[in-house]
Amino acid sequence: MTDELIRILDGNTFVVSDRRGDIAATATDPTGFFSFDTRFLSRWVLTVDDEPLTSLSTDDLHYFESRFFLVPGAGTVYIDAKLTVIRQRVVESGFREQLTLLNHDDTSIDVRVRIDAGCDFADLFEVKDALQKKGTTAARIENGCLVLAYERDTFRRTTTISSTEPADLDERGLGFAVRIQPHGSWTTELRVVPTVLGPDDLPLVPRPALATPPLRNMLQDLDEWIERAPKLVSDNDSLTATYHRSLVDLAALRFSPIIAGTRSLPAAGLPWFMTMFGRDSILTSLQALPFAAELAATTLRVLGTWQGTRVDDFRDEDPGRILHEMRYGEMTAFEERPHSPYFGSADATPLFVVLLDEYERWTGDADLVRGLEQEARAALRWIDAYANLQGNGYVAYRRRNVETGLENQCWKDSWDSISYHDGRLPGFPRATCELQGYAYDAKRRGARLAREFWNDPAYADELEADAAALKSRFNRDFWVDDGQYYALALDADGAQVDALSSNIGHLLWSGIVDDDKAPAIAEHLLGPRLFSGWGVRTLADGEARYNPIGYHVGTVWPFDNSFIAWGLRRYGFKEEAARVAAGILEAAEFFAGRLPEAFGGYERDLTRYPVQYPTACSPQAWSTGAPLLLLRTMLGLEPTGEHLVVDPAVPVGTGRIELLDIPGRWGHIDAFGRGLVDVGHGR
């Protein structure tokens, strides 16, 4: 599968261009140079002698670096090209582009090189929602640089463009008159620096250093990141490639919020979600715990720092609530969007406690558990004090910001994702089933933390009693008796929203499912209505809103499947978990090892390959983390006290797996597994 767009990124700074390296963005086109949720270049077009160039090849060197090989002319057939143009681009805060022209002729040549540059300074939400700008743009020549500027009241941004070779500058770009000797070359380095300006035009975010090329440091950082992770040795080359791709993409998506210093956490995904999301950062950190536990530590610290402290309807904030999304762009600054931060998530808060407990179980970092005691207690209080909107003891959601807040505040947050079997949409508040599982798990885990680290056994007893009561009434109220599965949600009247969905797999992961009901859930998850052969669909075939390419109503989400597989293992369904893992990991082969956010839910026998979802984020954090959690699941890795239990159930086609030097409170341990579980072709 190919993609005509070339992406390089570093944290929340990224460049998306065409295969020539050019950017010619429209108002709704997510190409350009972005940083801190603002587009700092919307036009960056290279011409030679006023002609566009044609791509010969593009090298995806690293997640932060790409190289474009070009020749003059717009045709598709080339005869004896005399000139090669190479663009080598590196992104880190800003970006640098080394432009090289090679003369292959035995005579000198004179050429005119031109970079057209421009910027609309669009907020990412303006691009996503096709909105018009309200401020003013300007361009000026200053100290040998082209400065593009934007101003709206106190909101000011600039893009500064310079060259190491003398350039003819105007307000629309840079030009060079170049003579290249026979078989010679000419090179310049173009530098693009974004600046976020505050009062008195002082930068709010440190400017990237121009004098020190960052490439060597970034390569060293990537090498060290991969070296710290466990080593995978496998008979399956595709699995090895997917594992390496996941580690590299996870490195690419590392984002350091200003308050985190040099520490990083996972940003959610390119292009729309290159920022911190509570739910996404937590779930990705859970997936990556055996491989990069430091992501979880930073996620917990930062989310704890930004935890809700008041009731704020505009931001859907409550005391103890964990944020949903943090943005830095213009629309947030002028409160046209509530993301400063926005708290419209009903699952991030219990998941915060889940991650804190799981992190300690892996690392033994008792200091962090004690240091975040008040934040964890506040999160647990939120479940009962603020999330019980229906008065029935269940976590439910209803947005208070009715203009720009999210309607659906579970992970399936699109407008039509929660429906009855007949396709009707329930009113609000809505209590989706997996939220109750997360709350149950948070209370159980919170009880362990209270008993072992907070010296509060009475609170631990209270949480355990609450969890047991929740489990009992959940298995009574959500169970669809004639279908033998759990309802997707309860509606505002407490009636069942009776669609069959992948959410029931998250219930297994949380442990809220009664043991006698678990076999029926496993049978549904691997049955023909939910399981496509590549993975579990978000909504079952036969539901009124089922659509195999509907965002949350029939597609297959790799992250969703990784937690479903983990849940199946928790209840002892090893073979079923292996089948889910096999389907997703086999699908990864068709995406060159990089699993997208979602792909089509068509039957495997119908397509023979996973069908690409047209607007899926790639890379996307929790899809990047899915192979990591699936590896943990196939090998049956489970921390128990000071030891790591290894209980493999590996699909036959995977062959032998060795995961070496798994870090944790036990030091480093190796895990081995052989492919003994017959999963057919994923069916």
Side-chain angles (χ1 to χ4, degrees), residues 521-528 530-531 536 568 576-577 579-580 682:
I521 297 304
E523 186 175 347
H524 278 298
L525 289 168
L526 276 299
L530 277 173
F531 194 63
V536 179
L568 288 164
E576 290 82 354
R579 288 176 65 194
V580 173

Side-chain angles (χ1 to χ4, degrees), residues 575-587:
E575 293 186 4
E576 290 82 354
R579 288 176 65 194
V580 173
I584 294 295
L585 293 172
E586 288 165 12

